[in-house]
Amino acid sequence: MAVSSWTLKQKMSVYQRLTRLDRPIGTLLLMWPCLMALVLAAGGMPDVKVLVIFVFGVFIMRACGCVINDFADRKLDAHVERTKNRPLASGEVSSKEALMLFVVMALIAFSLVLFLNPLVVKLSVVGIILTIMYPFMKRVTNMPQMFLGIVWSWSIPMAYAAQLGYVPIEAWWLFAANWCWTVAYDTMYA
């Protein structure tokens, strides 16, 4: 029994690294525009239920993004010093395991938006498609951060839709500003 609990503990540690829950800066970078949009859409304090759903959703979707990114880059990552010890690249997690984890987390995130209005549900479908597409954009463009800006800004129209029931023009202006910000910091990071 002690061996299986140790194995479970090791596996949870590997999943934590795969989802980057041990490195929260990316979650904070994703959370900031989401919370800003919720506060602006609400004209102050957003609805508590919406706030809780979005906070959990950001944690889960950032983890989903990390998993699908590592899946897409698993073969390349094994040859890069900075990424060779990532769980997929090092073989600690199989591709099948990673995809299963992605699907489970995506379903959890989707179940959260089912508590919101139909427009948010529709926008969330676009959000998961964008999340899946992003890591593969690195193969078709030499500026994938342009696409990442869309992915990382998608919570803005979703937040407005959740708070107001529609997406006003100001949400798209905020989306554009956040897109520029994301492209700038990811270009510097790259």
Side-chain angles (χ1 to χ4, degrees):
M1 189 70 146
V3 173
S4 63
S5 66
W6 175 249
T7 304
L8 178 62
K9 189 175 182 180
Q10 286 175 319
K11 189 57 82 172
M12 294 310 289
S13 174
V14 170
Y15 285 164
Q16 181 183 22
R17 286 187 296 120
L18 178 63
T19 58
R20 310 283 199 291
L21 292 176
D22 61 328
R23 306 178 90 197
I25 188 66
T27 303
L28 297 175
L29 286 169
L30 190 57
M31 187 77 70
W32 175 249
C34 177
L35 293 178
M36 181 173 43
L38 284 172
V39 168
L40 290 172
M45 180 63 186
D47 179 270
V48 174
K49 177 181 93 170
V50 172
L51 180 64
V52 169
I53 288 170
F54 272 81
V55 167
F56 281 117
V58 165
F59 272 96
I60 295 167
M61 286 307 298
R62 193 279 178 135
C64 276
C66 291
V67 172
I68 200 68
N69 184 70
D70 283 6
F71 173 78
D73 293 343
R74 67 194 179 281
K75 293 177 183 168
L76 177 64
D77 282 351
H79 303 287
V80 177
E81 187 64 33
R82 183 178 67 84
T83 58
K84 70 180 182 183
N85 292 321
R86 287 184 177 170
L88 265 166
S90 67
E92 294 175 271
V93 174
S94 70
S95 294
K96 184 178 178 182
E97 264 182 292
L99 288 175
M100 290 298 294
L101 180 61
F102 175 83
V103 168
V104 167
M105 288 188 307
L107 289 172
I108 292 169
F110 186 70
S111 71
L112 289 173
V113 298
L114 293 176
F115 291 97
L116 301 172
N117 65 55
L119 178 56
V120 181
V121 174
K122 290 175 188 172
L123 290 170
S124 76
V125 172
V126 174
I128 194 68
I129 291 168
L130 292 171
T131 300
I132 293 167
M133 287 176 62
Y134 164 68
F136 299 98
M137 294 305 289
K138 292 181 254 182
R139 284 138 182 88
V140 296
T141 178
N142 60 356
M143 300 248 340
Q145 61 270 40
M146 304 292 268
F147 194 82
L148 180 69
I150 296 168
V151 178
W152 281 58
S153 302
W154 197 250
S155 65
I156 293 169
M158 288 182 64
Y160 273 85
Q163 210 47 63
L164 301 175
Y166 66 99
V167 183
I169 190 69
E170 71 188 52
W172 295 112
W173 282 110
L174 185 59
F175 177 92
N178 192 74
W179 176 81
C180 291
W181 178 62
T182 305
V183 170
Y185 74 68
D186 197 58
T187 300
M188 289 188 299
Y189 173 75

